[in-house]
Each structure stands twice: as structure tokens, then as C-alpha cells.
Amino acid sequence: MVASKSAQDDAAWYTCRMMISDIEDYFLKGCGRCERFGSSNCSTKVWEKGLAKLRDICLSADLKETVKWGHPCYMHADRNIVIIGAFRENFRLSFFNAALMQDSEGVLEKQGPNTRHADMIRFTSNDGPAKQENVILAYLDEAKAYADEGKKPSKTEHELDLPEELVEALDADPELSEAFHGLTPGRQRSYVINLNGAKKSETRVNRIEKFREKIIDGKGANER
């Protein structure tokens, strides 16, 4: 699988490096997963004002601010609601459990052609979040209501029962999600079997991080 130049540029956002653990570091330096961390070329610098506004909107919605996968993640009722990310060409607010969202305003987009559900609001200007603040807040309220109800997307008859850790990793990492859903059913199943073989959640999380490059390369868990 050969990635386009745009995809290769975006992939720098996810290059496995030392991810940040302090929320302020993200807005000051970046996520810590590529060589542009802490430099003026970091995508977080390009979209500094827009990211700050997104942060303000999420906090005004009474969401709990955390750092997950090196990015600002916002929670409610012990459930991930949205995660913020920045690329060179745009920045995004991505919803977890996006299959539940009604998208009444038609603003949600898919991360890529293999992504199953439209889950992100994409911005190409720093004033984008301010212009859509009311819509974003309404969507956040909708997502919070699902969390309060404990409601999750229903699975289709032939859909694999993915471990929760993998679901969250895919929701948080557009490149990984696109690659995983582009795998053959057998290759997808190989990862599910491997991850389900781990008793501890921490072990599953570590395995997903190690498997990331193989998934992006289009390989199964047992392939070299």
C-alpha cells in the first residue's frame, strides 16, 4: 500500500516517538510523535489560535480534559467524547462512537475512504471553530447524552467484536483507522485474536502500539 504525498505528510503526526503526557505541552510544543515537535513547523503552531478555541469550546461544555495518544482528549461520564488533532493542511475535532451521531447539520466527514463512519469536523482556517461554535456545542451535548445513557453503537451481523482498547485507538488515530479498515477480514481477525489473548488492558494497549506499523503496511498480526 503506497501512501499519497498528502498521506505521507499527515503520517508525520503519528510517527512513533515519545508522546507528551502534559496537556499544556500539546498547545505549546505539539504531540511529541514527530521530528517537528517543539519547532515553529509543528502543525500545532500553524493552527495555534484555532486549537485554542477548540479547547475553550470543549471546556465550556464541561468536558474533562485529558491527554491520550499524545493529544487533547475530552471525556464525560468516564467515556471519551472527542479528541483534537492537527495536520499541516487542517486541524480536526474527532468524535468517539461516531456511529451514534445524527449529524443534523451535515458537518461530519470521514477520515478516509475506508473509514466506516463520518466522525470528524475538519477546519482549514483558524477562525473555523468560532464560526461553528454553536454547532460544536450542540454535537458535544448530543455525545454527552449518549455517554450518560451508556449507549454505544450497535454491531452489524458480520462485524468483528473489537477490543475496547482497539476501538479507542482507531477512533483517536485516523491513519491507523483507515489502514485497519482497509485490511482483509482475515488480517483484521488476526489482530483481534492476538489482542483478546491478553488479560490486561495495559498489555493490549502496548500491543496495539507495536502493531501500528504492521497495520499501516497492510499486514496481519502474524506476518513479517
Side-chain angles (χ1 to χ4, degrees):
M1 180 168 56
V2 179
S4 66
K5 186 178 186 302
S6 176
Q8 290 172 341
D9 288 343
D10 285 353
W13 191 58
Y14 297 106
T15 302
C16 292
R17 295 169 67 89
M18 184 62 69
M19 292 183 289
I20 55 104
S21 57
D22 185 327
I23 188 67
E24 298 301 333
D25 281 344
Y26 181 83
F27 296 99
L28 293 173
K29 303 176 184 179
C31 65
R33 299 186 77 168
C34 81
E35 68 281 357
R36 290 182 281 119
F37 178 67
S39 74
S40 59
N41 292 323
C42 179
S43 298
T44 59
K45 290 300 181 184
V46 176
W47 306 113
E48 185 173 4
K49 292 182 179 179
L51 292 170
K53 181 60 179 177
L54 267 185
R55 184 188 194 185
D56 288 344
I57 293 172
C58 289
L59 292 175
S60 72
D62 293 325
L63 294 174
K64 179 183 177 182
E65 186 177 60
T66 62
V67 177
K68 293 190 176 183
W69 305 281
H71 294 80
C73 181
Y74 296 86
M75 305 179 66
H76 176 74
D78 294 322
R79 197 155 100 180
N80 297 326
I81 301 297
V82 288
I83 193 165
I84 290 175
F87 293 90
R88 293 188 182 186
E89 296 178 354
N90 59 75
F91 61 107
R92 307 169 179 186
L93 184 69
S94 298
F95 286 79
F96 293 85
N97 297 298
L100 294 173
M101 301 298 294
Q102 299 299 305
D103 193 18
S104 58
E105 300 298 321
V107 297
L108 294 181
E109 300 179 41
K110 287 187 174 183
Q111 304 277 3
N114 291 321
T115 306
R116 293 185 179 181
H117 305 290
D119 64 351
M120 70 167 176
I121 303 178
R122 179 171 55 180
F123 307 96
T124 56
S125 66
N126 273 307
D127 60 355
K131 290 180 177 179
Q132 297 195 62
E133 181 169 1
N134 291 336
V135 172
I136 295 169
L137 286 171
Y139 278 41
L140 292 177
D141 284 342
E142 180 185 348
K144 286 168 59 180
Y146 296 138
D148 286 331
E149 296 170 13
K151 188 175 181 180
K152 292 188 177 182
S154 58
K155 298 183 183 296
T156 63
E157 183 178 352
H158 301 290
E159 189 174 358
L160 284 173
D161 188 12
L162 304 182
E164 186 68 24
E165 295 82 1
L166 180 57
V167 172
E168 291 188 346
L170 297 178
D171 283 343
D173 188 335
E175 188 189 18
L176 181 63
S177 177
E178 178 70 5
F180 182 82
H181 291 303
L183 294 175
T184 63
R187 288 189 172 110
Q188 290 182 4
R189 192 173 296 108
S190 72
Y191 288 106
V192 172
I193 291 172
N194 184 289
L195 294 172
N196 283 337
K199 295 181 179 180
K200 295 183 178 180
S201 176
E202 181 181 358
T203 303
R204 290 190 286 273
V205 170
N206 290 336
R207 287 185 182 182
I208 292 168
E209 187 65 25
K210 292 178 181 178
F211 280 144
R212 189 177 182 280
E213 292 306 315
K214 292 183 73 172
I215 294 173
I216 291 173
D217 287 341
K219 297 178 181 180
N222 302 316
E223 294 181 80
R224 294 184 178 180

